[in-house]
Amino acid sequence: MTTIKNNNNKRRVIEQSSRAILLLCALVSIAAVIAITLYIINQGIPFFSKVSLKEFLFSFNWEPSAKENPSYGIGAFILASFEVVILAIVIALPIGLSTAIFLSEFAKGKLSVVIKNTIELLAGIPSIIYGLFGIAIIVPAVRNTFGGNGYSLLSASIILSIMILPTIINISEVSIKSVPDSLRQASIAMGATKWQTIYKVVIPSAVNGIVASIILALGRAIGETTAVLLVGGNSAVFAKTPIDMGRTLTMNIITDMSYAEGTHLSALFATAMLLFLFILFLNFIVVYISSKSRLGQSE
Amino acid sequence: MNRKNTNKIALTLIQGLSILTILILALILSYLVYRGLRSNNLNERQVIDEVNLTLPFDVYSNKYSKVEELDYFTFKKIVEGKIYSLRRVTSVNRDIKLYIDPSLIDYLSNYFLVDESDLLDSSITQFDSTTIADDKTLLNDIKENEGAIVITTANTKLKGLNKVEVSDNVLVVNSKVTELYGNKRIGNLDEEEVEKLLDGQYKSWGELDGPPVDVHLVDSLDKVESVDGAIMVVDATSYQRAVDSQANIDLLKVFHKVSKRNLTWDYLVSQSEDEGKYGGISSIIINTLIMVLLTVLIATPVSVAGAIYLVEYAKKGRVSTIIKTGIDLLAAVPSIIFGLFGLLVFVQFFNFGFSMISGVLTLSLMILPTILRTSEEAIRSVSPALKEASRGLGATKIETIIKIVIPGASRGITTGIILAIGRALGETAALIFTIGSSTSIASNLKSSSRVLAQHIYLIITEGGSIDEAFASALVLIVLVLIINSITKIIMRRK
């Protein structure tokens, strides 16, 4: 009798402790996110006791290693980051959306299998390889077409647009697929062509998912470092046109990190802080949109 | 009618743009394979592409040295001892060791315009060309000495060595031709231009960005010196003699197209030397595999446990929302931020330094959401009937999980792990500030080590050879493709 009881006790202890361990493991992600946030803020905040937020965000003057009056304005990098990702979206969206529509509305047979595999592979190619490809193909192409030396924000956008295609396609495809067939059949029955159905019925119903895919792609693009660093030119001066060399937020962090110290170093962490804020913001928009569309569906 | 046309155009456009994605991928992959396997370079050379076959000597080199051709001027410097390492010849990090047949010394000193005593230097090994083929010890010595360059009498056959071709014809012009004219100066010529020039198809040097002087093909060095715009092809020895006596002549440099194999077996299996500048990538590939293995070993238990908690224990509510938000946010953090975090926490706070363990821990956090999400889905799809049957037989929840749930979800978990491996393999930004850059194989967790993707990054940013970057990139993409196909195969077996 006692042995069974003991055994049962032992089992209960194991049960309880394993439950605790599992919970601990499940909390690692959120703990990591909190730790990352705190560490980056902790390193970045002291910077603002030396330089005002206004100067940091809006000054276009980045001369952190100057002996006298160093300046820490990242305005040019913020603008460059946005320029690059918006251009990338503009280039990627027509291709991405078309592919998503093709996969969900038409695709049957071999072609769709090939396209699906293509997207998986595109998503799997490491960013350093995109960067290398950019140096060898995109940079000379931009140089020959638009002039300049080819290392430019435009080159960075083109590389990014390829890199974010899978994100746009996968998420848009899911939301286009989830548009109920009855809507399509109703539209066709009313005499609309396939294109009119897609354009007037399917896309408007799937618009939340499409927007979510764009925002996630934005998040991926704005955080991308290696590929843009290799083709973007990395000049700390404000890029007046997309074919000028420019520097994005991520490029700024990675370039100076290896030697920066003191205020310069904390300026880099402040840059990282800003980047992290952008990404959090974009993610909350996605969460908001998807919760809204879920509500919409249940109604 | 109009409506139908719009329809047709729109649908064609959609299909066209979809196919474009395939073309983009095909372009990237085929270009990588092409550049990975072959390198095409335009090298500036002082001699024209014509091999001198009438020389009374043959030159051989050790296969490892990759020396297959030498131009007169490089060869002269080697003989003079001014170039003592192959780094300046073929980017191979080996010192040059010369072997010369003494019967050639008279000819060579006249040919290279060097003192005979230089060729009798003690660092140069002497041998007899007539007996070398039977001299096993000498041949072995040459084969073991990776920087060996052997000069034998003509028609000596040596097996197992590279035959080196020597080019010694130069384009000599009157020095008027190479003068700065306005803001222009004649540049390097390519093969086609040299051919046309010697064929008399250019009337004036102006056509080649030179001064407006007529082209004159002449047949003696005296005329080259006296006639404006004169040009002739001459052997390098005569040119060198004329230059040494202050003649008023110049040499036109030419572009030499070099097309050769890029990624070789040697490159894959040999050790890296001098911080990755020379040698191969075997140690870097091994480091990459160690890194991926350790990362997976650390991240898998944590993520699978997290997934089990989410599916089996967490009730819908606050805890589950917090956990899920954490995973979503962690997945959205850009890799550069992971890199900074790794630098602050693992490198500095825990004082692991730039080491394998810092890199591995940083990457483990990064791939955690990938494994967790895939495992979660797999665990959710384990049939509830099985679980209930197990509980009904008296098993506790954790026993059920270990004996029923995990085996049932193992395929999905494996898929997640492999996806994560793919991501870890290609990561650069998170590793630059954490894992270090030493090219030797990581001997312990705290040793600095370089992985493949980071190696490519460092080659490019430190101004190394782009060919080497492509060779390494090909290896990386092949690894990624293999990982990708394994995922496919596992998922298809369902």
Side-chain angles (χ1 to χ4, degrees), chain A residues 87-108:
Chain A
L87 248 161
I89 298 277
V90 169
I91 300 170
L93 194 59
I95 304 175
L97 204 51
S98 299
T99 311
I101 293 170
F102 184 76
L103 285 178
S104 48
E105 298 293 305
F106 305 94
K108 277 172 200 97

Side-chain angles (χ1 to χ4, degrees), chain B residues 243-437:
Chain B
V243 170
D244 290 346
S245 62
Q246 312 284 322
N248 189 24
I249 57 173
D250 250 321
L251 191 144
L252 271 192
K253 286 182 184 170
V254 294
F255 277 129
H256 176 63
K257 238 185 238 165
V258 185
S259 173
K260 56 183 180 195
R261 277 185 69 183
N262 194 5
L263 178 64
T264 54
W265 181 249
D266 265 357
Y267 185 69
L268 274 181
V269 296
S270 54
Q271 284 267 348
S272 175
E273 288 165 30
D274 207 356
E275 287 306 300
K277 284 199 198 80
Y278 309 103
I281 52 170
S282 66
S283 50
I284 296 169
I285 295 178
I286 292 172
N287 274 342
T288 311
L289 299 180
I290 296 175
M291 183 271 291
V292 168
L293 185 73
L294 289 177
T295 307
V296 166
L297 279 181
I298 294 176
T300 307
V302 178
S303 4
V304 173
I308 291 171
Y309 185 85
L310 257 184
V311 180
E312 300 291 329
Y313 291 93
K315 296 181 190 74
K316 266 201 170 173
R318 196 170 272 170
V319 181
S320 134
T321 318
I322 289 175
I323 294 172
K324 280 192 173 159
T325 318
I327 297 163
D328 285 346
L329 287 178
L330 198 64
V333 173
S335 51
I336 176 85
I337 303 246
F338 276 107
L340 292 184
F341 178 71
L343 175 70
L344 289 173
V345 176
F346 304 124
V347 177
Q348 292 172 358
F349 183 75
F350 288 115
N351 211 6
F352 294 148
F354 292 110
S355 61
M356 180 60 97
I357 188 69
S358 302
V360 163
L361 289 173
T362 312
L363 268 197
S364 304
L365 283 182
M366 209 173 127
I367 62 169
L368 204 119
T370 313
I371 307 183
L372 207 155
R373 282 170 168 171
T374 338
S375 311
E376 187 197 338
E377 226 168 87
I379 293 169
R380 230 177 258 289
S381 63
V382 173
S383 130
L386 274 179
K387 289 187 235 170
E388 278 153 25
S390 164
R391 296 300 297 278
L393 286 168
T396 61
K397 197 154 187 178
I398 193 71
E399 283 163 352
T400 311
I401 287 168
I402 292 170
K403 297 252 164 78
I404 306 293
V405 176
I406 294 183
S410 65
R411 190 161 292 161
I413 294 172
T414 320
T415 312
I417 294 172
I418 294 169
L419 281 175
I421 291 177
R423 200 166 165 209
L425 264 181
E427 187 47 50
T428 337
L431 291 177
I432 289 169
F433 302 127
T434 50
I435 203 167
S437 66

Side-chain angles (χ1 to χ4, degrees), chain A residues 11-24, chain B residues 309 313 397-399 402:
Chain A
R11 282 172 85 185
R12 200 182 309 133
V13 171
I14 292 175
E15 181 70 34
Q16 293 292 336
S17 50
S18 49
R19 187 193 160 114
I21 292 171
L22 292 178
L23 173 62
L24 225 58
Chain B
Y309 185 85
Y313 291 93
K397 197 154 187 178
I398 193 71
E399 283 163 352
I402 292 170

Side-chain angles (χ1 to χ4, degrees), chain B residues 9 50 186 197 202 224 240 244 257 393 444 446 460:
Chain B
I9 292 167
E50 197 180 300
I186 193 158
L197 188 62
Y202 291 111
V224 176
Q240 194 65 45
D244 290 346
K257 238 185 238 165
L393 286 168
N444 60 56
K446 280 208 167 189
I460 301 170

Side-chain angles (χ1 to χ4, degrees), chain A:
Chain A
M1 239 359 225
T2 46
T3 47
I4 293 176
K5 215 176 192 179
N6 274 344
N7 203 4
N8 272 341
N9 272 338
K10 206 170 138 197
R11 282 172 85 185
R12 200 182 309 133
V13 171
I14 292 175
E15 181 70 34
Q16 293 292 336
S17 50
S18 49
R19 187 193 160 114
I21 292 171
L22 292 178
L23 173 62
L24 225 58
C25 289
L27 290 174
V28 167
S29 301
I30 185 76
V33 172
I34 293 172
I36 290 173
T37 317
L38 290 182
Y39 265 100
I40 303 283
I41 288 178
N42 183 35
Q43 295 285 318
I45 284 289
F47 172 75
F48 294 105
S49 64
K50 300 211 177 72
V51 181
S52 74
L53 183 64
K54 201 177 135 199
E55 190 199 328
F56 180 59
L57 293 183
F58 299 113
S59 160
F60 278 36
N61 217 353
W62 174 260
E63 275 165 6
S65 338
K67 288 248 158 53
E68 286 165 28
N69 289 327
S71 54
Y72 303 96
I74 60 165
F77 312 150
I78 300 176
L79 282 185
S81 271
F82 279 99
E83 199 176 324
V84 166
V85 296
I86 288 169
L87 248 161
I89 298 277
V90 169
I91 300 170
L93 194 59
I95 304 175
L97 204 51
S98 299
T99 311
I101 293 170
F102 184 76
L103 285 178
S104 48
E105 298 293 305
F106 305 94
K108 277 172 200 97
K110 263 201 178 132
L111 185 58
S112 77
V113 176
V114 175
I115 291 179
K116 274 187 184 149
N117 285 329
T118 301
I119 295 158
E120 269 170 38
L121 280 178
L122 278 178
I125 295 178
S127 57
I128 181 75
I129 288 190
Y130 277 114
L132 189 60
F133 175 77
I135 293 180
I137 293 273
I138 309 286
V139 167
V142 168
R143 177 167 54 224
N144 295 336
T145 320
F146 300 100
N149 75 356
Y151 291 93
S152 60
L153 294 184
L154 178 64
S155 305
S157 309
I158 295 173
I159 279 297
L160 276 183
S161 69
I162 303 175
M163 295 178 74
I164 59 177
L165 269 182
T167 312
I168 297 187
I169 295 171
N170 286 335
I171 297 171
S172 306
E173 189 203 341
V174 171
S175 72
I176 293 175
K177 266 206 175 124
S178 69
V179 172
D181 258 349
S182 54
L183 283 181
R184 291 190 187 88
Q185 284 152 5
S187 163
I188 299 278
M190 303 277 280
T193 60
K194 184 95 186 168
W195 168 240
Q196 282 170 325
T197 309
I198 291 169
Y199 168 63
K200 294 256 170 73
V201 178
V202 177
I203 291 183
S205 329
V207 76
N208 275 334
I210 295 170
V211 171
S213 82
I214 293 173
I215 293 171
L216 282 174
L218 266 176
R220 170 144 197 228
I222 210 165
E224 177 52 47
T225 318
T226 335
V228 291
L229 176 70
L230 295 185
V231 299
N234 204 4
S235 121
V237 183
F238 176 62
K240 291 197 186 76
T241 66
I243 61 163
D244 288 334
M245 302 206 282
R247 182 186 280 194
T248 62
L249 293 171
T250 51
M251 281 152 91
N252 191 40
I253 300 171
I254 203 167
T255 319
D256 291 5
M257 203 63 207
S258 49
Y259 66 91
E261 45 190 21
T263 317
H264 185 185
L265 184 66
S266 57
L268 298 182
F269 280 103
T271 314
M273 222 166 89
L274 186 72
L275 178 69
F276 197 47
L277 263 177
F278 280 141
I279 295 204
L280 285 185
F281 176 67
L282 290 174
N283 271 278
F284 281 119
I285 298 183
V286 173
V287 172
Y288 174 74
I289 292 175
S290 52
S291 69
K292 208 176 81 177
S293 64
R294 229 171 270 148
L295 283 179
Q297 274 169 16
S298 63
E299 269 168 13

Side-chain angles (χ1 to χ4, degrees), chain B residues 91-111:
Chain B
S91 308
V92 172
N93 189 23
R94 285 288 178 275
D95 285 347
I96 293 170
K97 172 88 176 113
L98 276 176
Y99 296 78
I100 297 180
D101 182 338
S103 66
L104 286 164
I105 283 185
D106 192 32
Y107 182 85
L108 290 174
S109 76
N110 278 321
Y111 181 68

